[in-house]
Amino acid sequence: MKSDIILSGVGGQGILSIAAVIGQAAVSAGLHMKQSEVHGMSQRGGDVQSHLRISDKEVFSDLVPHGGADMILSVEPMESLRYLPWLSKQGWIITNSQPFINIPNYPDQKAVIAEIEKQPKHIIINADELAKAAGNSRGMNMVMAGAASLFIDIPQEKMEGAIQFLFGRKGEEIVKSNIAAFRAGREFAQKKRG
Amino acid sequence: MAKNVMMLMGDEAIAQGAIDAGVSGFYAYPGTPSTEIMEYAQHSKDAAALNIHRQWSANEKTAMESALGMSYCGKRAMVSMKHVGLNVAADPFVNSGVTGANGGIIVVAADDPAMHSSQNEQDSRILAQFALLPIFEPANQQEAYDMAFAGYELSEKYKTPVMLRITTRLAHSRAGVELKPRLKQNALKLPENKRQFVLLPGIARKQYKTLIANQAKFVEESEKSPFNRYIDGADKSRGIIACGIAYNYLMENYPNGCPHPVLKLCQYPAPKKLIEKLVKETKEVLVLEDGQPMLEESLRGLLDRDVKVKGRITGELPRDGELNPLFVRRALGMADICGAPAPAIVAARPPAFCVGCGHIDAYNAIKQVVTTGYEDGHVFADIGCYTLAALPPFEVVNSCVDMGASITMAKGAADAGLFPACAVIGDSTFCHSGMTGLLDCVIENSNVVIFILDNSATAMTGGQDSHALGRLQAICKGLGVDEKHIRIVNPLKKNHDEMVQVIKEEIEYKGVSVIIPTRECIQTLGKKNKKGGE
């Protein structure tokens, strides 16, 4: 198997917690993994991305090659479009529908969604709302991880095990509510994919 | 027994490698992409248990010198910095080649091709070559870890500092790293030659001859290094030299193996015999380097004869910027694979001040004063978050060159007759390289207004502790600034008018003024509050 993912968002939105969950699950499933991230100036409200590469063979490049991503997983809709040059023809865009507007020239929100809908394979989720409905108002990232998990060939229990592993020291309540958000995202993606 | 594998970023792998290879002291000043080396060491329980020194230095020069002192005592040291930090440390770095080492020294230089978070994209390998020192350049996280062991071994074998050079991508990318059994730290053991570190001309000349004589041995080490590998290929129409991380981008484009002979090059000085073999056996050589075309240039030579060399200079690869799989693919002559272009509606999202940042309030006041009534008012800024005021909505910053340059450029401008000449510098940057410039101003009583934005942190790199904490006023006073013209303000919206008044008064004062807007970085404050709440 191989899963090349571009995670995208805005500095401060916490895309790295998604990378941590999927990456940890990959490692516990005995897969090769490389994950590169952005540190420094862009973390101050700029566009940020993380390249997450999972494979049953050796992974060479730390960067996903152009046209090679199986998925763009974005916590912000406009940011999902920035990385289209990396998306393969069969790749999925999975994005949160909720914009993060910290620039004066943020485009028309409907136009952004229309551009995403032009892509043959996409899932647009109001992850903020789903997280809230799952009783975890800060669980947007876990909703997105759950939606993505449907398209990554790693068993669900390994993914949830990763959440347990990563959040265990913060207490059982946090683990539970993160898993609830994760499942909400996964179920939503399941329905959308059909 | 299961292998002991950790998921580590390149920076973390280097730090863990040093810990496991018996380092006694880490020295550094924060700078992207090198910061996480020291941070990892600071958070490491192993490093704490082993009582390894791991505190920030005032700047890269003091870090390098402290590492040299640790080495003097026979112990292993690691000093880490970003590429431009190596310029600050260049004096002790180059001279450390002449003194040599006693305990092993690894100088980690983290370069930033594409200037993700930097002012230039200089290639630190060139500085190491200039200092006649061996270089290790890992292709992946495992090699980054292993090279700490190999680095100290080589360093102590030849009593020479070595450089470990990485680029941003490896620094901030995570992969599995298999750990080795830990080596013990060295015992304190002073240099056998009592004059080794005394660079008086007569002694330095002798030591320099030793360093030169070692060059052939360093090449010999590179020839047999496990990090330099000649991988044969049937198609001799082209040979490829892939330096460091460029090897990954090459292999990414040949998932079933490269058909051409490849020299994976990760230890320098360049292994001459291996390169000769590649040149002899192939029609042309493509050089892949993530940085400046150092090797390409040296292969080509001044007269550009005999060897057909391709790379960044000849345009197969872009002359500047970071390598990636696509650029290497093009250099190999393969067709592009690319997804759809990003739609035109995607807007640029530059970094910006955090909501609630004290710099915003400070700049609102500065901007109001210098743009009303003082049309020639110029603001020389420095390296840190506050450089962002060069961008909209402020656009009030006129310069950002290097650490400390705000104060000295303002001084030069004042010397030239510019009025008012203002400098904006952060508390940590001031302690790094601003104090000496302030002393220059005091000596001449230059007509400058210096803003030291005190957010009690080295904020841009993630909120490391600042040496300035609680000392700024005393430092300024100690350097000779008149106490009446050291003004502390609290940069809050409600204090705007007061700040404006203070700034006006100090601009009108003909001499050195220091205004210190003091309010903690909201990122570090947030982290503390979170910790307290848990």
Side-chain angles (χ1 to χ4, degrees):
Chain A
M1 68 81 76
K2 162 204 106 116
S3 207
D4 283 333
I5 303 167
I6 305 256
L7 276 153
S8 61
V10 181
Q13 280 193 299
I15 59 169
L16 296 181
S17 63
I18 305 177
V21 168
I22 301 174
Q24 176 61 36
V27 172
S28 73
L31 297 164
H32 295 272
M33 195 274 274
K34 273 192 179 172
Q35 181 235 323
S36 84
E37 52 201 54
V38 176
H39 292 211
M41 206 171 210
S42 301
Q43 286 179 300
R44 302 278 167 264
D47 53 280
V48 291
Q49 83 293 129
S50 168
H51 291 227
L52 179 58
R53 312 196 66 194
I54 299 165
S55 175
D56 51 12
K57 297 189 188 72
E58 183 178 358
V59 176
F60 282 102
S61 169
D62 298 84
L63 293 170
V64 174
H66 284 71
D70 302 291
M71 185 194 302
I72 292 171
L73 178 57
S74 186
V75 297
E76 205 281 347
M78 182 181 81
E79 293 305 323
S80 74
L81 294 167
R82 196 183 298 281
Y83 304 97
L84 281 182
W86 278 265
L87 191 63
S88 89
K89 293 210 160 53
Q90 302 77 38
W92 283 87
I93 292 192
I94 297 173
T95 181
N96 188 4
S97 64
Q98 298 306 293
F100 188 100
I101 302 175
N102 63 344
I103 46 172
N105 56 337
Y106 193 95
D108 176 57
Q109 291 181 41
K110 281 192 192 126
V112 170
I113 297 297
E115 285 288 351
I116 298 167
E117 284 172 341
K118 277 187 202 164
Q119 300 305 314
K121 292 180 169 181
H122 64 266
I123 292 179
I124 304 170
I125 312 170
N126 187 336
D128 297 57
E129 198 179 280
L130 273 187
K132 231 181 252 168
N136 181 355
S137 58
R138 294 172 67 188
M140 178 272 281
N141 286 321
M142 290 303 112
V143 171
M144 295 310 298
S149 73
L150 195 65
F151 302 90
I152 303 168
D153 192 11
I154 295 174
Q156 186 175 351
E157 64 267 20
K158 293 272 184 210
M159 292 276 189
E160 294 186 3
I163 294 174
Q164 174 76 48
F165 177 85
L166 292 166
F167 296 98
R169 75 184 168 84
K170 291 189 174 175
E172 210 40 48
E173 275 309 303
I174 302 258
V175 171
K176 254 192 210 160
S177 77
N178 277 335
I179 287 179
F182 177 91
R183 286 182 184 166
R186 191 173 168 104
E187 274 158 29
F188 183 90
Q190 188 105 52
K191 273 185 221 146
K192 280 279 166 182
R193 186 177 69 167
Chain B
M1 208 180 99
K3 286 177 185 171
N4 193 1
V5 176
M6 288 177 84
M7 295 304 298
L8 297 173
M9 286 198 298
D11 275 352
E12 298 171 337
I14 290 170
Q16 184 66 46
I19 292 167
D20 291 344
V23 76
S24 296
F26 286 94
Y27 296 91
Y29 181 82
T32 312
S34 70
T35 313
E36 294 79 3
I37 298 170
M38 177 62 95
E39 287 192 324
Y40 183 86
Q42 289 180 338
H43 294 131
S44 161
K45 284 182 188 150
D46 289 345
L50 293 160
N51 198 25
I52 295 170
H53 177 278
R54 48 196 206 289
Q55 285 200 36
W56 296 110
S57 302
N59 65 36
E60 293 84 354
K61 179 174 180 285
T62 66
M64 177 73 214
E65 291 155 350
S66 301
L68 205 57
M70 178 72 77
S71 165
Y72 179 93
C73 294
K75 299 199 177 190
R76 295 183 191 122
M78 174 169 277
V79 51
S80 54
M81 59 198 75
K82 68 182 295 172
H83 56 335
V84 287
L86 187 59
N87 298 340
V88 176
D91 198 353
F93 173 69
V94 174
N95 288 352
S96 75
V98 186
T99 62
N102 185 24
I105 307 181
I106 296 178
V107 181
V108 185
D111 292 357
D112 189 19
M115 301 180 236
H116 297 282
S117 269
S118 302
Q119 301 77 42
N120 77 26
E121 55 174 42
Q122 68 186 54
D123 189 325
S124 295
R125 294 177 305 167
I126 296 173
L127 263 97
Q129 194 183 43
F130 175 67
L132 303 177
L133 298 178
I135 308 160
F136 292 87
E137 188 188 13
N140 55 47
Q141 293 77 356
Q142 183 68 54
E143 285 189 348
Y145 174 85
D146 293 342
M147 282 175 176
F149 287 77
Y152 286 126
E153 198 182 314
L154 192 72
S155 177
E156 291 182 356
K157 183 172 176 187
Y158 293 99
K159 293 198 167 293
T160 180
V162 302
M163 174 182 281
L164 206 174
R165 185 252 186 182
I166 55 169
T167 55
T168 307
R169 204 51 64 181
L170 181 60
H172 293 159
S173 174
R174 235 173 271 280
V177 172
E178 194 186 330
L179 305 191
K180 295 183 185 199
R182 182 168 297 152
L183 304 180
K184 272 197 186 140
Q185 294 181 44
N186 288 344
L188 198 144
K189 185 171 174 286
L190 299 179
E192 280 165 24
N193 170 7
K194 288 203 169 114
R195 294 179 148 187
Q196 184 190 336
F197 288 82
V198 187
L199 294 187
L200 279 169
I203 302 166
R205 275 181 217 121
K206 224 187 267 173
Q207 302 254 124
Y208 187 47
K209 281 189 200 302
T210 309
L211 177 62
I212 291 168
N214 272 339
Q215 297 304 303
K217 293 176 197 162
F218 295 164
V219 173
E220 201 46 47
E221 292 285 346
S222 294
E223 300 282 4
K224 60 182 196 206
S225 164
F227 303 115
N228 292 338
R229 265 192 301 145
Y230 191 99
I231 307 146
D232 209 1
D235 184 350
K236 314 281 187 196
S237 63
R238 172 189 286 152
I240 300 164
I241 302 178
C243 302
I245 200 168
Y247 177 72
N248 299 344
Y249 301 141
L250 172 69
M251 297 314 288
E252 189 66 36
N253 282 297
Y254 289 117
N256 301 314
C258 181
H260 306 289
V262 174
L263 175 59
K264 172 183 170 288
L265 180 47
C266 295
Q267 185 177 333
Y268 311 75
K272 200 174 166 194
K273 284 181 201 152
L274 288 172
I275 292 176
E276 258 173 356
K277 180 176 153 137
L278 190 79
V279 168
K280 246 184 224 159
E281 290 190 1
T282 58
K283 288 214 176 84
E284 62 172 46
V285 175
L286 174 68
V287 185
L288 308 174
E289 304 175 81
D290 201 13
Q292 291 177 260
M294 176 183 98
L295 190 74
E296 187 185 343
E297 219 153 28
S298 70
L299 283 189
R300 178 181 308 283
L302 190 60
L303 301 180
D304 209 358
R305 287 191 294 215
D306 301 337
V307 187
K308 215 169 164 192
V309 185
K310 298 196 160 174
R312 284 190 186 264
I313 297 171
T314 48
E316 273 71 19
L317 291 161
R319 182 63 182 76
D320 60 348
E322 184 186 11
L323 289 187
N324 63 35
L326 180 63
F327 290 157
V328 170
R329 186 175 181 84
R330 286 176 182 160
L332 294 167
M334 299 180 187
D336 277 14
I337 301 175
C338 217
I345 59 163
V346 176
R349 202 188 296 257
F353 289 122
C354 306
V355 176
C357 172
H359 294 344
I360 296 173
D361 299 302
Y363 271 119
N364 277 331
I366 294 170
K367 186 171 181 177
Q368 182 179 326
V369 178
V370 299
T371 58
T372 51
Y374 297 109
E375 278 166 38
D376 285 334
H378 279 242
V379 175
F380 300 91
D382 225 293
I383 311 291
C385 292
Y386 43 87
T387 317
L388 291 172
L391 307 175
F394 293 101
E395 299 182 271
V396 68
V397 159
N398 301 100
S399 78
C400 158
V401 180
D402 70 279
M403 298 285 282
S406 58
I407 295 177
T408 30
M409 281 184 74
K411 181 191 177 294
D415 294 344
L418 182 72
F419 174 77
C422 302
V424 174
I425 188 168
D427 52 322
S428 184
T429 305
F430 176 71
C431 285
H432 177 289
S433 286
M435 297 190 288
T436 44
L438 178 56
L439 185 58
D440 281 350
C441 295
V442 166
I443 296 296
E444 294 188 41
N445 197 29
S446 308
N447 193 12
V448 291
V449 177
I450 297 161
F451 295 88
I452 307 178
L453 304 188
D454 181 6
N455 58 6
S456 311
T458 313
M460 175 66 84
T461 48
Q464 293 76 24
D465 290 341
S466 161
H467 273 33
L469 197 61
R471 295 185 183 87
L472 272 183
Q473 266 178 282
I475 291 171
C476 295
K477 205 176 140 193
L479 288 171
V481 181
D482 181 347
E483 218 172 336
K484 291 198 288 291
H485 298 283
I486 301 172
R487 310 285 296 266
I488 315 292
V489 294
N490 186 358
L492 285 167
K493 209 173 177 182
K494 62 173 184 179
N495 298 337
H496 177 80
D497 293 343
E498 180 203 327
M499 280 191 283
V500 165
Q501 185 57 33
V502 168
I503 296 168
K504 278 185 182 161
E505 283 168 22
E506 294 308 326
I507 284 179
E508 288 307 321
Y509 168 66
K510 304 289 174 247
V512 181
S513 301
V514 176
I515 300 174
I516 312 179
T518 306
R519 178 150 75 81
E520 182 169 358
C521 165
I522 65 139
Q523 293 287 344
T524 57
L525 194 64
K527 271 183 217 163
K528 276 182 205 160
N529 288 344
K530 223 175 177 182
K531 257 190 198 162
E534 258 178 23

